[in-house]
């Protein structure tokens, strides 16, 4: 079974802190994603990576950065956390191929106080 | 740009049918459908590639109208286990970049 593991299920951070959300997949997938999930807004793409060190902005990249130094790990970084970044964050991975599905992690519920 | 899903929410009795729609303002390469139960990760249902195909999975099927840039998910004879939030995900090209809609909450009651 494909496994996408997010390092924390729940996280509470203070405003202004630098926050790292980690995601690891064990199936050698080339593509990895970070989404933010808010009620009524669905899943919004923050960043997408299609290879090691390669990244592409999604629809809402402001206030976030990402790092992909190894194929299996994709990190989301909040440079200076703000209360409006309180949300559920979902990581996903997807292999190459025209009809491949995305596999999601369990999510990290981040609260910024 | 996010695809638009409708309706936002639907309540059914067990055994009833439902249709969830997904539309885009841009040409689509593929459409994915996922279901997320409360507190769980989204789970893949099916993918439709451009070409106007239709797919089925048990009593859940979907169509993709490439010309209209629309897809519909059909849930037939709904079961309690169908409850959850349904998301469509769209690709504009073969880049693997997947953009999701705002979701449709489906509740099936006994």
């Amino acid at each position: 079974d494909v496994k996408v593991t997010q390092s924390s299920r729940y996280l509470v951070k203070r405003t202004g802190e630098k926050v790292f959300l980690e995601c690891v997949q064990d199936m050698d997938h080339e593509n990895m994603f970070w989404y933010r999930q808010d009620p009524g807004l669905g899943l919004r793409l923050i960043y997408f990576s299609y290879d090691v060190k390669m990244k592409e902005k999604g629809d809402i990249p402001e206030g976030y950065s990402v790092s992909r130094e190894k194929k299996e790990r994709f990190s989301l970084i909040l440079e200076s956390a703000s209360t409006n970044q309180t949300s559920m964050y979902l990581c996903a991975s997807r292999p190459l191929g025209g009809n491949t599905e995305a596999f999601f992690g369990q999510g990290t519920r981040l609260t910024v106080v | 740009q996010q695809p638009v899903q409708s309706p936002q929410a639907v309540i059914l009795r067990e055994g009833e049918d439902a249709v969830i729609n997904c539309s885009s303002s841009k040409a689509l390469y593929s459409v994915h459908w996922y279901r997320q139960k409360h507190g769980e990760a989204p789970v893949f249902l099916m993918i439709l590639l451009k070409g106007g195909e239709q797919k089925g999975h048990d009593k859940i099927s979907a169509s993709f109208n490439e010309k209209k840039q629309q897809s519909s998910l059909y849930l037939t004879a709904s079961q309690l286990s169908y409850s959850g939030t349904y998301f469509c995900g769209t690709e504009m090209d073969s880049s693997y970049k997947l953009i999701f809609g705002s979701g449709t909450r489906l509740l099936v009651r006994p």
Side-chain angles (χ1 to χ4, degrees):
Chain A
D1 280 354
V2 174
K3 199 165 183 183
V4 180
T5 304
Q6 295 183 228
S7 54
S8 304
R9 196 73 195 267
Y10 299 94
L11 213 51
V12 179
K13 295 292 181 180
R14 293 197 179 277
T15 301
E17 274 192 79
K18 189 169 186 176
V19 181
F20 294 85
L21 302 184
E22 307 287 347
C23 175
V24 177
Q25 50 99 358
D26 66 357
M27 285 300 291
D28 204 38
H29 289 172
E30 285 75 12
N31 304 292
M32 295 188 75
F33 308 78
W34 275 106
Y35 293 94
R36 172 176 170 161
Q37 183 172 17
D38 299 288
L41 298 177
L43 301 170
R44 293 183 290 167
L45 181 64
I46 305 172
Y47 269 98
F48 162 51
S49 171
Y50 50 92
D51 204 346
V52 175
K53 297 188 189 292
M54 306 304 288
K55 61 186 178 185
E56 191 174 319
K57 291 181 180 178
D59 292 334
I60 52 164
E62 298 79 18
Y64 303 95
S65 62
V66 290
S67 172
R68 193 164 179 206
E69 296 297 318
K70 292 185 178 181
K71 193 174 185 180
E72 67 270 19
R73 186 179 297 270
F74 191 33
S75 303
L76 180 69
I77 303 156
L78 287 68
E79 296 291 340
S80 177
S82 64
T83 54
N84 63 14
Q85 291 178 310
T86 291
S87 187
M88 171 67 83
Y89 291 88
L90 286 166
C91 174
S93 73
R94 187 183 176 197
L96 294 178
N99 60 351
T100 58
E101 65 185 90
F103 296 86
F104 283 85
Q106 286 294 103
T108 296
R109 169 72 66 182
L110 173 68
T111 302
V112 182
V113 298
Chain B
Q1 188 171 7
Q2 280 188 295
V4 176
Q5 283 187 239
S6 63
Q8 289 185 333
V10 59
I11 300 174
L12 299 173
R13 291 282 181 196
E14 210 173 354
E16 292 181 335
D17 302 340
V19 179
I20 300 171
N21 299 301
C22 175
S23 64
S24 172
S25 58
K26 299 186 177 181
L28 297 176
Y29 173 77
S30 77
V31 178
H32 292 221
W33 286 98
Y34 292 76
R35 177 172 61 209
Q36 183 181 33
K37 291 185 179 288
H38 184 68
E40 299 180 8
V43 173
F44 175 77
L45 293 175
M46 62 189 78
I47 179 174
L48 301 102
L49 300 177
K50 67 176 183 178
E53 65 173 345
Q54 187 152 356
K55 273 194 174 181
H57 175 66
D58 197 9
K59 293 179 180 175
I60 300 175
S61 62
S63 63
F64 178 23
N65 187 322
E66 183 186 345
K67 289 183 180 177
K68 292 186 176 180
Q69 296 145 205
Q70 291 177 348
S71 178
S72 295
L73 185 71
Y74 306 95
L75 299 110
T76 306
S78 58
Q79 304 167 17
L80 297 177
S81 61
Y82 286 3
S83 292
T85 301
Y86 290 77
F87 293 100
C88 71
T90 56
E91 286 181 279
M92 304 303 166
D93 50 38
S94 56
S95 67
Y96 297 95
K97 186 176 179 181
L98 200 52
I99 305 293
F100 286 92
S102 57
T104 295
R105 293 176 65 183
L106 177 76
L107 176 62
V108 181
R109 290 182 168 162

